[in-house]
């Protein structure tokens, strides 16, 4: 069976001030240590994301719930933020029709899915004002069970549902995805008799794409969840060695780590040549940033671009700007669709476009990807290539697991814990203090006591 390919030759290209096999040999022991460290935590039950593809019970329960909701409602709102939104959105946008929500039900064959994500009331109010609430249900997704942005959306929607359909109508429309035992949302599930799917206690937000967090919206959008998990499982099986040249995720982590530490290339760009993977880029940015940005001297900066669109935007910076980036180009070998181009007789005199004649749009995109790779390397900029045989559920499962495992190993290589996010928690505490949460007064007071702004620096 065809499978995902990782090619790091572009990091070993002398033209791109590349690494050499000695660098790789030099990092082998550290890579093995990162692998062993991850496996040890996994075996102790501390880290569960790599075991999610084997959790058939949750996958079944999730599919059953999605089917039930799909049989009764047209729209599913996924209320969540950060890791509780990005993974599901990445999967749905990669695998559903690009205009899924615009298709009539008979062509869509599944629910319309919305990820409001942010707690910007302007967007949320507009969304609620657009959808028919009678035909809408919602999944409130928060691992911790109390994230303010998510719970504010939940409260707003709960109030509207109760006002319009009564308590029972609200219960029919609301499902929860949260920690199996802890947190306010788990208590709410018990108190209100709501259906709730678990996020295993040892799976953190940004590593939860293959739990019910991502599987519920995926199943509701008609994604083949079994194939998604099979792809993730196949990648996990390929990554069961601490040999850097045998484990794709370890090689990816080691190449990026070496490029950062030995060549100062600390901006890591993910640039898929597929619109459907745009949201996967956003998901990767969160995964890499929140997992690895842990000390003033540790934190490669992830950046998302999309080919060919960003060839007309940030590529100039990548080719001629500071020598601080590694660009991972993601290619889909067999696109889902293609369009043949024919330049009409009357247009042939316009030499600038005549060469397009007889080609397809897919050939153009692929030529652009190859050209970008060559231009970057020629300018001394390292690249990595990931090729998916096609963009289907299996390949998407492979890609997600590759990047999650690479992040875990990179944490080991950098010597940081990739699985916490104290910086995010600090911001949450200040916001809760400002909103008057009892016990959080010190954070509000700290902000009140902060240095007053210099009026000379404020132009009103
Ligand atoms: O990766 C993480 O842990 C975070 O990005 C969380 O996903 C995000 O803060 C949302 O948290 P929660 O799922 O608890 O609402």
């Amino acid at each position: 069976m065809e499978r995902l390919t990782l090619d790091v030759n572009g990091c070993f290209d002398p033209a791109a001030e590349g690494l050499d096999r000695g660098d790789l040999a030099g990092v082998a022991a550290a890579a093995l240590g990162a692998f062993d460290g991850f496996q040890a935590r996994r075996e102790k039950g501390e880290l569960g994301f790599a075991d999610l593809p084997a959790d058939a019970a949750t996958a079944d329960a999730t599919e059953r719930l999605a089917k039930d909701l799909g049989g009764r409602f047209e729209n599913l709102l996924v209320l969540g933020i950060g890791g509780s939104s990005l993974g599901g959105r990445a999967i749905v946008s990669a695998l559903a029709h690009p205009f899924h929500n615009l298709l009539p039900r008979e062509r869509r064959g599944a629910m319309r899915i919305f990820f409001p994500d942010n707690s910007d009331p302007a967007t949320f109010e507009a969304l609620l004002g657009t959808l028919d609430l009678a035909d809408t249900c919602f999944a409130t997704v928060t691992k911790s069970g109390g994230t303010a942005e998510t719970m504010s959306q939940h409260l707003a929607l709960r109030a509207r549902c109760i006002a319009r359909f009564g308590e029972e109508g609200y219960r029919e429309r609301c499902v929860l995805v949260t920690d199996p035992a802890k947190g306010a949302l788990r208590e709410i599930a018990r108190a209100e008799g709501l259906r709730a799917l678990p996020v295993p206690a040892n799976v953190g937000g940004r590593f939860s794409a293959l739990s019910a967090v991502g599987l519920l919206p995926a199943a509701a959008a008609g994604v083949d969840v079994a194939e998604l998990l099979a792809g993730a499982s196949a990648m996990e099986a390929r990554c069961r060695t601490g040999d850097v040249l045998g484990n794709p995720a370890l090689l990816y982590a080691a190449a990026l780590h070496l490029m950062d530490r030995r060549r100062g290339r600390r901006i890591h760009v993910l640039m898929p040549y597929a619109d459907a993977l745009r949201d996967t880029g956003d998901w990767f940015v969160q995964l890499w940033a929140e997992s690895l940005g842990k000390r003033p001297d540790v934190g490669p900066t992830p950046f998302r671009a999309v080919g060919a669109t960003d060839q007309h935007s940030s590529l100039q910076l990548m080719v001629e700007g500071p020598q601080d980036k590694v660009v991972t180009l993601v290619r889909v070998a067999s696109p889902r669709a293609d369009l043949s181009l024919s330049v009409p007789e009357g247009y042939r005199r316009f030499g600038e476009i005549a060469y397009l004649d007889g080609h397809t749009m897919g050939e153009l995109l692929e030529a652009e990807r190859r050209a970008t790779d060559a231009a970057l390397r020629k300018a001394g900029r390292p690249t990595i290539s990931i090729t998916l045989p096609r963009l289907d559920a299996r390949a998407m499962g492979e890609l997600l697991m590759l990047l999650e495992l690479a992040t875990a190993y990179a944490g080991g290589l950098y010597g940081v814990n990739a699985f916490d996010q104290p910086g995010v928690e600090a911001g949450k505490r200040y916001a809760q203090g400002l909103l008057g949460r009892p016990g959080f007064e010190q954070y509000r007071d700290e902000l009140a006591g902060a240095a007053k702004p210099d009026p000379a620096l404020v132009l009103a």
Side-chain angles (χ1 to χ4, degrees):
M1 179 170 302
E2 288 177 293
R3 57 188 199 171
L4 179 152
T5 306
L6 172 78
D7 179 350
V8 298
N9 272 292
C11 286
F12 289 79
D13 186 346
E17 291 178 9
L19 305 164
D20 57 38
R21 293 297 283 265
D23 291 311
L24 206 54
V27 85
L32 178 61
F35 172 81
D36 285 342
F38 168 67
Q39 284 297 113
R41 291 187 69 184
R42 191 176 164 191
E43 275 152 32
K44 272 197 257 165
E46 286 174 25
L47 300 174
F49 76 86
D51 299 309
L52 289 171
D55 183 358
T58 302
D60 284 354
T62 306
E63 287 198 279
R64 275 201 308 278
L65 184 55
K67 195 164 175 218
D68 177 68
L69 296 173
R72 290 186 293 140
F73 302 101
E74 183 75 352
N75 310 309
L76 171 66
L77 263 63
V78 181
L79 311 184
I81 197 161
S84 288
S85 170
L86 290 163
R89 199 166 64 181
I91 297 169
V92 170
S93 56
L95 300 174
H97 186 286
F99 301 102
H100 178 86
N101 282 350
L102 297 181
L103 295 177
R105 176 91 197 197
E106 60 280 9
R107 276 192 65 198
R108 206 181 334 119
M111 303 181 84
R112 299 198 291 177
I113 318 289
F114 298 88
F115 294 91
D117 197 295
N118 203 357
S119 54
D120 182 338
T123 319
F124 198 60
E125 180 59 43
L127 181 60
L128 298 191
T130 304
L131 299 177
D132 176 0
L133 211 52
D135 225 357
T136 300
C137 61
F138 62 105
T140 305
V141 186
T142 155
K143 170 75 194 301
S144 61
T147 297
E149 294 88 340
T150 303
M151 291 315 294
S152 70
Q153 293 176 342
H154 174 90
L155 291 171
L157 209 39
R158 175 185 186 275
R160 288 195 196 198
C161 285
I162 292 177
R164 199 158 149 205
F165 312 109
E167 297 278 348
E168 195 45 44
Y170 156 64
R171 260 192 295 280
E172 279 170 12
R173 282 172 177 75
C174 176
V175 299
L176 310 178
V177 182
T178 190
D179 188 277
K182 290 191 307 200
L185 203 63
R186 184 50 66 181
E187 280 180 43
I188 290 170
R190 290 190 202 106
E192 296 190 333
L194 296 170
R195 289 168 294 174
L197 292 168
V199 191
N202 58 4
V203 174
R206 58 193 172 277
F207 290 88
S208 67
L210 297 167
S211 75
V213 171
L215 298 186
L216 181 64
V223 167
D224 186 339
V225 161
E227 271 299 290
L228 181 75
L229 295 175
S233 175
M235 177 54 71
E236 189 278 326
R238 284 176 73 182
C239 296
R240 279 189 207 150
T241 168
D243 170 9
V244 75
L245 284 177
N247 176 334
L250 197 54
L251 181 59
Y252 189 58
L256 288 176
H257 178 259
L258 281 170
M259 272 295 170
D260 175 357
R261 289 315 209 198
R262 304 259 170 95
R263 299 285 189 279
R265 315 289 177 134
R266 58 185 45 176
I267 297 180
H268 297 162
V269 182
L270 190 75
M271 187 169 186
Y273 273 71
D275 285 340
L277 292 173
R278 187 181 292 263
D279 289 340
T280 302
D282 287 340
W283 169 81
F284 169 73
V285 165
Q286 188 225 7
L287 186 66
W288 206 244
E290 212 169 279
S291 303
L292 304 178
K294 293 287 161 60
R295 291 201 314 255
D297 65 321
V298 175
T301 301
F303 185 85
R304 189 266 280 158
V306 173
T309 299
D310 286 303
Q311 288 180 208
H312 303 270
S313 168
S314 48
L315 186 67
Q316 168 61 34
L317 174 70
M318 296 180 216
V319 176
E320 290 198 315
Q323 304 251 28
D324 55 4
K325 301 174 193 65
V326 183
V327 183
T328 299
L329 300 160
V330 184
R331 166 183 176 233
V332 178
S334 307
R336 282 186 198 138
D338 209 345
L339 284 182
S340 351
L341 304 174
S342 87
V343 173
E345 191 68 37
Y347 276 20
R348 299 245 167 87
R349 64 201 160 92
F350 304 114
E352 285 155 57
I353 57 164
Y355 71 92
L356 291 172
D357 199 23
H359 290 291
T360 69
M361 224 186 248
E363 282 170 349
L364 170 63
L365 195 65
E366 173 57 5
E368 304 257 25
R369 185 198 62 78
R370 288 180 60 188
T372 298
D373 193 9
L376 283 163
R377 288 212 218 176
K378 184 150 189 239
R381 319 295 155 132
T383 62
I384 294 179
S385 292
I386 294 177
T387 303
L388 309 182
R390 61 193 68 74
L391 194 42
D392 59 11
R394 191 178 176 90
M396 190 62 188
E398 286 183 275
L399 181 63
L400 296 176
M401 184 56 79
L402 172 85
L403 296 174
E404 288 184 354
L405 284 170
T407 306
Y409 302 146
L413 288 165
Y414 280 108
V416 297
N417 180 6
F419 301 96
D420 63 0
Q421 54 285 326
V424 176
E425 302 306 331
K428 286 186 185 178
R429 283 194 290 272
Y430 283 123
Q432 290 169 8
L434 284 173
L435 291 173
R437 180 173 175 187
F440 285 65
E441 296 77 6
Q442 70 184 95
Y443 301 105
R444 180 200 55 207
D445 297 347
E446 208 182 296
L447 291 183
K452 295 281 168 277
D454 178 348
L457 300 178
V458 181
L459 303 185

